[in-house]
Amino acid sequence: MAIQRNMDPKKCPMPNQDPMVRNKNFDEVALGYTPEMAVSEAKRCLGCPKKPCQSGCPVGIDIPAFIAKVAEEDFEGAYQILSASSALPAVCGRVCPQETQCEGKCVRGVKGESVGIGRLERFVADWHREHSTESIQKPTPNGHKVAIIGAGPSGLTAAGDLAKLGYSVTIYEALHLAGGVLVYGIPEFRLPKAIVQKEIDGLKEMGVSIETNMVIGKVLTIDELMGEYGFEAVYVASGAGLPRFMGIPGESLKGVYSANEYLTRINLMKAYKKDSKTPIMHSKKVAVVGGGNVAMDAARCAKRMGAEEVYIVYRRGMEELPARKEEIEHAEEEGIIFKTLTNPVEVLGDADGMVCGMKCIEMELGEPDDSGRRRPIEKPNSEFVLDVDTMIMSIGTSPNPLIRSTTPGLETNRHGCIVTNGDDGLTSREGVYAGGDAVTGAATVILAMGAGKHAAKAIDEYIKNKK
Amino acid sequence: MYKIVEKTPLNPTVTKMVIEAPLVAKKAQAGQFIIVRAKDDSERIPLTVADYDREAGTVTIIFQIVGGGTMELNTLNAGESVHDFVGPLGKPSHLDGLKKVAVVGGGVGCAIAYPTAKRLHELGAEVHSIVGFRNKDLVILEKEFEAVSNKMVLMTDDGSYGQKGLVTNALEALIQEGNQYDEVIAIGPLIMMKFVAQLTKKYNIKTTVSMNPIMIDGTGMCGGCRLTVGGETKFACVDGPDFDGHLVDFDEAMHRGTMYKDFEAHAREASCNLLNKEVE
């Protein structure tokens, strides 16, 4: 039966919680498509034979095929196609920057809005989680052991792929909970932690072992893992690590947070819950410095924690904001104030050492720099003071030294990122692979997952060929 | 889960716990720290390693009951378990090659100064220990210090035990007697370490202090533990916890330490009420 195409130039809108309600709670913002919405949106897909969308997906999901299944109302069939390529579809449907990946290549996007691929992915993964009764099949063991450092998106993806191939996989996680940035960074209202936990439980059912409270480089080294512990290969997916500060006066005042600290207190340590034992400042006026997804998360958390005024302070313009488009829109709807073309020059403190303001300078855009973006330049004599009691620094991270400093022969670049041999993630040490933010510096969940996929494939080939 | 093998109150506000954590015990060195979480929903508390037994696979921690978190930890007893125990974190102290050292401990900081004194003693250094407490009731580890020290001075603020006065009085007296120290190692309240560092600066003696700021993950991720040392931002968890006492900005560290004072006071009260209810 031929599918009746839906030629609506616009995406089926995502039902969301009302902005002025949701900016006071931590429940998920987007409520998800109903089956009717999903089928109708799926029918907007033209099923292009060249599949441009698939080439935009870092894990190479067969997008037209899964969407066709949705259009046929075969949601479980759609899930099988998704899960063949992605270990965490419920996560990706929520946090991928689709507009620069799959949806950015969608032919429907030329004369209208692209197909809502991310929304459909989310729908299918959620449908499966809520309806499927199938238990996960434990693969037949192949007798080989692989260790993974870091239970974030990259490590979890590699673990899933290797476990499916029969490897005995152990993930070592430094924190007390697995999930990496999915649990400490991305807030509940964007990615409910129950969904992350469900994906992790799935890996455990497949036989993946997760050891928490294990800081590799301290309690065990990579040499020990590959020596007395008998792992044939190690995948380092330890994340980006140390938060950067600007080096301006006043950054040590009380009320200056790194986004990592602020988000970790709220998300991992649950400071947003009334009965939480984790202290957090209940700020009135907050400036978040930076324009990425992490900055949006921090700003929206601050609003939900009760701040009256929350600013995003970013040195370039609205067009240059690196955050996902939907996050910027959501933040604006929730009342976050964007102070673009503005850069902090000093944090001001009161007699108690508490933040009582942030001195800023206005910026304008000059010639494009190495990154191709127009370089922000200070406007002379344009300083002003923003009245805030809290400042959250969200200007990126630099790699953690714990692994490189304890692994002889592991090559790193001048930024401290682990150097790998192209796509497969092989490092300068035989049998040691790396990927995700530990290699690229701070990037996205999906790129980290893509790296995990490639590394799993390379590790499988390496171990097979060694025999 | 990590089993509590032994729990001993050292004084009314300080508790010693020996915890089964074989992998941590195997790697731990003097100067490093661990992070403990009492229960599933507890805070992460950083504590310096007080001792370890590689054969028995145990790590000893000594903590002062100051806030809701340590109060909750103190509700657990031998035979029970702590939910999480991670380490060893931070860099070990550099003690090799020191010939004559003054180890200065203040209050519960003595719990961390002791393994340092012990290690120096084992390495063959001449150890002068100066330990200070508010009063006689709060004295801990007196015998232990005596056993590893060539000279030991015990000070109390009120003179109820040992000599009356501050550790800096005793240290200055020893220096003026002509003792030439390769290094002074000071571990205790920030204000004590600040004044020890001021004193030793005057005499130009290298001084190491052990910092214990607020932190969450202990691996460099949160940046909450940042300090200014010699004008540079350092993270106590990965760059320390030992730093050159003459370079640390103590005033800033003291300010930062009070960030959650109100919350802590509230949490302590809440925990107390909770305990009262349990007793009822």
Short mmCIF file of all heavy atoms in Angstrom, two decimals, chain B residues 31-63:
data_model
loop_
_atom_site.label_atom_id
_atom_site.label_comp_id
_atom_site.label_asym_id
_atom_site.label_seq_id
_atom_site.Cartn_x
_atom_site.Cartn_y
_atom_site.Cartn_z
N GLY B 31 49.17 12.05 52.45
CA GLY B 31 48.87 13.30 51.77
C GLY B 31 47.70 13.19 50.81
O GLY B 31 47.13 14.20 50.42
N GLN B 32 47.34 11.98 50.41
CA GLN B 32 46.22 11.83 49.48
C GLN B 32 44.89 11.81 50.22
O GLN B 32 44.85 11.71 51.44
CB GLN B 32 46.39 10.54 48.67
CG GLN B 32 47.54 10.65 47.68
CD GLN B 32 47.60 9.45 46.75
OE1 GLN B 32 47.79 8.33 47.21
NE2 GLN B 32 47.44 9.69 45.46
N PHE B 33 43.79 11.90 49.47
CA PHE B 33 42.48 11.90 50.11
C PHE B 33 41.53 10.94 49.42
O PHE B 33 41.83 10.41 48.36
CB PHE B 33 41.91 13.32 50.18
CG PHE B 33 41.56 13.94 48.86
CD1 PHE B 33 40.27 13.93 48.38
CD2 PHE B 33 42.53 14.54 48.07
CE1 PHE B 33 39.94 14.51 47.16
CE2 PHE B 33 42.22 15.12 46.85
CZ PHE B 33 40.93 15.10 46.39
N ILE B 34 40.41 10.71 50.07
CA ILE B 34 39.35 9.88 49.50
C ILE B 34 38.06 10.70 49.53
O ILE B 34 38.01 11.75 50.19
CB ILE B 34 39.15 8.56 50.28
CG1 ILE B 34 38.84 8.82 51.75
CG2 ILE B 34 40.37 7.66 50.18
CD1 ILE B 34 37.44 9.00 52.12
N ILE B 35 37.04 10.24 48.82
CA ILE B 35 35.72 10.84 48.96
C ILE B 35 34.77 9.75 49.41
O ILE B 35 34.78 8.63 48.86
CB ILE B 35 35.25 11.50 47.65
CG1 ILE B 35 36.04 12.81 47.45
CG2 ILE B 35 33.74 11.77 47.66
CD1 ILE B 35 35.68 13.60 46.24
N VAL B 36 33.99 10.05 50.44
CA VAL B 36 33.08 9.06 50.99
C VAL B 36 31.65 9.59 50.89
O VAL B 36 31.40 10.79 51.01
CB VAL B 36 33.47 8.72 52.46
CG1 VAL B 36 33.42 9.93 53.35
CG2 VAL B 36 32.59 7.61 53.03
N ARG B 37 30.73 8.67 50.61
CA ARG B 37 29.30 8.99 50.68
C ARG B 37 28.67 7.99 51.62
O ARG B 37 28.75 6.78 51.40
CB ARG B 37 28.64 8.86 49.30
CG ARG B 37 28.52 10.21 48.64
CD ARG B 37 27.81 10.22 47.31
NE ARG B 37 27.13 9.03 46.92
CZ ARG B 37 25.84 9.00 46.56
NH1 ARG B 37 25.12 10.09 46.58
NH2 ARG B 37 25.29 7.87 46.16
N ALA B 38 28.06 8.47 52.69
CA ALA B 38 27.54 7.58 53.71
C ALA B 38 26.42 6.70 53.15
O ALA B 38 26.43 5.49 53.27
CB ALA B 38 27.04 8.39 54.89
N LYS B 39 25.46 7.35 52.51
CA LYS B 39 24.28 6.64 52.03
C LYS B 39 24.00 7.01 50.58
O LYS B 39 24.70 7.84 50.00
CB LYS B 39 23.07 6.98 52.91
CG LYS B 39 23.24 6.49 54.34
CD LYS B 39 22.09 6.91 55.23
CE LYS B 39 22.39 6.50 56.68
NZ LYS B 39 21.47 7.12 57.61
N ASP B 40 22.95 6.42 50.04
CA ASP B 40 22.63 6.58 48.64
C ASP B 40 22.34 8.04 48.25
O ASP B 40 22.54 8.44 47.11
CB ASP B 40 21.42 5.70 48.31
CG ASP B 40 21.19 5.61 46.82
OD1 ASP B 40 22.15 5.88 46.08
OD2 ASP B 40 20.07 5.30 46.41
N ASP B 41 21.84 8.83 49.19
CA ASP B 41 21.49 10.21 48.85
C ASP B 41 22.38 11.21 49.59
O ASP B 41 22.02 12.37 49.73
CB ASP B 41 20.01 10.48 49.18
CG ASP B 41 19.73 10.31 50.67
OD1 ASP B 41 20.60 9.77 51.38
OD2 ASP B 41 18.64 10.72 51.12
N SER B 42 23.54 10.75 50.05
CA SER B 42 24.40 11.63 50.85
C SER B 42 25.29 12.51 49.99
O SER B 42 25.50 12.24 48.82
CB SER B 42 25.29 10.80 51.78
OG SER B 42 24.50 10.00 52.61
N GLU B 43 25.85 13.51 50.66
CA GLU B 43 26.86 14.36 50.03
C GLU B 43 28.14 13.58 49.84
O GLU B 43 28.41 12.62 50.54
CB GLU B 43 27.18 15.51 50.97
CG GLU B 43 26.32 16.71 50.81
CD GLU B 43 26.96 17.85 51.58
OE1 GLU B 43 26.69 17.97 52.78
OE2 GLU B 43 27.74 18.58 50.98
N ARG B 44 28.97 14.06 48.94
CA ARG B 44 30.31 13.50 48.77
C ARG B 44 31.23 14.28 49.71
O ARG B 44 31.35 15.49 49.58
CB ARG B 44 30.77 13.65 47.32
CG ARG B 44 29.94 12.86 46.32
CD ARG B 44 30.27 13.23 44.89
NE ARG B 44 31.64 12.90 44.53
CZ ARG B 44 32.02 11.74 43.97
NH1 ARG B 44 31.12 10.82 43.69
NH2 ARG B 44 33.28 11.51 43.68
N ILE B 45 31.87 13.58 50.65
CA ILE B 45 32.73 14.26 51.62
C ILE B 45 34.18 13.90 51.36
O ILE B 45 34.55 12.73 51.41
CB ILE B 45 32.37 13.83 53.06
CG1 ILE B 45 30.88 14.03 53.32
CG2 ILE B 45 33.22 14.58 54.08
CD1 ILE B 45 30.43 13.46 54.66
N PRO B 46 35.04 14.91 51.07
CA PRO B 46 36.46 14.61 50.91
C PRO B 46 37.16 14.54 52.27
O PRO B 46 36.96 15.41 53.11
CB PRO B 46 36.97 15.81 50.10
CG PRO B 46 36.01 16.92 50.37
CD PRO B 46 34.72 16.32 50.85
N LEU B 47 37.94 13.48 52.49
CA LEU B 47 38.68 13.33 53.74
C LEU B 47 40.08 12.83 53.43
O LEU B 47 40.25 11.93 52.60
CB LEU B 47 37.99 12.30 54.64
CG LEU B 47 36.61 12.68 55.21
CD1 LEU B 47 35.95 11.45 55.82
CD2 LEU B 47 36.74 13.80 56.23
N THR B 48 41.06 13.40 54.09
CA THR B 48 42.43 12.97 53.85
C THR B 48 42.64 11.59 54.48
O THR B 48 42.08 11.29 55.53
CB THR B 48 43.41 14.00 54.43
OG1 THR B 48 43.06 15.26 53.87
CG2 THR B 48 44.84 13.68 54.05
N VAL B 49 43.43 10.76 53.80
CA VAL B 49 43.72 9.42 54.29
C VAL B 49 44.51 9.54 55.58
O VAL B 49 45.58 10.16 55.61
CB VAL B 49 44.52 8.63 53.24
CG1 VAL B 49 45.04 7.32 53.81
CG2 VAL B 49 43.66 8.39 52.00
N ALA B 50 44.01 8.95 56.68
CA ALA B 50 44.70 9.04 57.96
C ALA B 50 45.67 7.88 58.13
O ALA B 50 46.68 8.00 58.82
CB ALA B 50 43.70 9.05 59.11
N ASP B 51 45.36 6.76 57.50
CA ASP B 51 46.24 5.60 57.58
C ASP B 51 45.72 4.57 56.58
O ASP B 51 44.59 4.68 56.10
CB ASP B 51 46.22 5.01 59.00
CG ASP B 51 47.51 4.24 59.30
OD1 ASP B 51 48.36 4.08 58.39
OD2 ASP B 51 47.67 3.79 60.44
N TYR B 52 46.55 3.58 56.28
CA TYR B 52 46.09 2.51 55.39
C TYR B 52 46.85 1.25 55.76
O TYR B 52 47.94 1.31 56.33
CB TYR B 52 46.32 2.87 53.92
CG TYR B 52 47.72 3.36 53.64
CD1 TYR B 52 48.77 2.46 53.48
CD2 TYR B 52 48.00 4.71 53.60
CE1 TYR B 52 50.06 2.91 53.26
CE2 TYR B 52 49.28 5.17 53.38
CZ TYR B 52 50.31 4.27 53.21
OH TYR B 52 51.59 4.70 53.01
N ASP B 53 46.25 0.11 55.46
CA ASP B 53 46.89 -1.18 55.70
C ASP B 53 46.75 -1.98 54.42
O ASP B 53 45.66 -2.46 54.09
CB ASP B 53 46.18 -1.87 56.88
CG ASP B 53 46.85 -3.18 57.26
OD1 ASP B 53 47.49 -3.81 56.37
OD2 ASP B 53 46.75 -3.58 58.43
N ARG B 54 47.86 -2.07 53.69
CA ARG B 54 47.78 -2.71 52.37
C ARG B 54 47.42 -4.18 52.49
O ARG B 54 46.67 -4.70 51.66
CB ARG B 54 49.10 -2.55 51.62
CG ARG B 54 49.50 -1.08 51.42
CD ARG B 54 50.35 -0.90 50.17
NE ARG B 54 51.16 0.31 50.21
CZ ARG B 54 50.70 1.53 49.96
NH1 ARG B 54 49.43 1.71 49.70
NH2 ARG B 54 51.51 2.57 50.00
N GLU B 55 47.95 -4.86 53.53
CA GLU B 55 47.65 -6.29 53.69
C GLU B 55 46.19 -6.53 54.05
O GLU B 55 45.51 -7.35 53.46
CB GLU B 55 48.53 -6.92 54.77
CG GLU B 55 49.78 -7.59 54.22
CD GLU B 55 50.94 -6.61 54.20
OE1 GLU B 55 51.41 -6.28 55.30
OE2 GLU B 55 51.35 -6.17 53.11
N ALA B 56 45.70 -5.76 55.04
CA ALA B 56 44.32 -5.95 55.47
C ALA B 56 43.33 -5.36 54.48
O ALA B 56 42.13 -5.65 54.54
CB ALA B 56 44.12 -5.32 56.84
N GLY B 57 43.83 -4.51 53.57
CA GLY B 57 42.95 -3.89 52.58
C GLY B 57 42.04 -2.84 53.17
O GLY B 57 40.90 -2.67 52.74
N THR B 58 42.54 -2.13 54.18
CA THR B 58 41.69 -1.12 54.82
C THR B 58 42.31 0.28 54.74
O THR B 58 43.53 0.43 54.65
CB THR B 58 41.46 -1.44 56.31
OG1 THR B 58 42.73 -1.55 56.95
CG2 THR B 58 40.69 -2.73 56.48
N VAL B 59 41.44 1.27 54.80
CA VAL B 59 41.85 2.68 54.82
C VAL B 59 41.20 3.32 56.04
O VAL B 59 40.02 3.09 56.31
CB VAL B 59 41.39 3.41 53.54
CG1 VAL B 59 41.72 4.89 53.62
CG2 VAL B 59 42.02 2.78 52.31
N THR B 60 41.99 4.10 56.79
CA THR B 60 41.46 4.77 57.98
C THR B 60 41.15 6.22 57.65
O THR B 60 41.96 6.92 57.04
CB THR B 60 42.50 4.71 59.12
OG1 THR B 60 42.80 3.33 59.36
CG2 THR B 60 41.96 5.36 60.39
N ILE B 61 39.95 6.65 58.07
CA ILE B 61 39.61 8.07 57.95
C ILE B 61 39.28 8.60 59.33
O ILE B 61 38.82 7.85 60.20
CB ILE B 61 38.40 8.30 57.00
CG1 ILE B 61 37.22 7.40 57.37
CG2 ILE B 61 38.80 8.10 55.56
CD1 ILE B 61 35.95 7.69 56.60
N ILE B 62 39.57 9.86 59.54
CA ILE B 62 39.24 10.50 60.81
C ILE B 62 38.52 11.79 60.46
O ILE B 62 39.01 12.58 59.65
CB ILE B 62 40.52 10.78 61.63
CG1 ILE B 62 41.17 9.44 62.02
CG2 ILE B 62 40.19 11.61 62.88
CD1 ILE B 62 42.46 9.56 62.80
N PHE B 63 37.33 11.97 61.01
CA PHE B 63 36.56 13.15 60.63
C PHE B 63 35.95 13.82 61.84
O PHE B 63 35.64 13.19 62.85
CB PHE B 63 35.49 12.80 59.61
CG PHE B 63 34.50 11.76 60.08
CD1 PHE B 63 33.30 12.13 60.68
CD2 PHE B 63 34.78 10.42 59.92
CE1 PHE B 63 32.39 11.17 61.11
CE2 PHE B 63 33.88 9.44 60.35
CZ PHE B 63 32.68 9.82 60.95
#
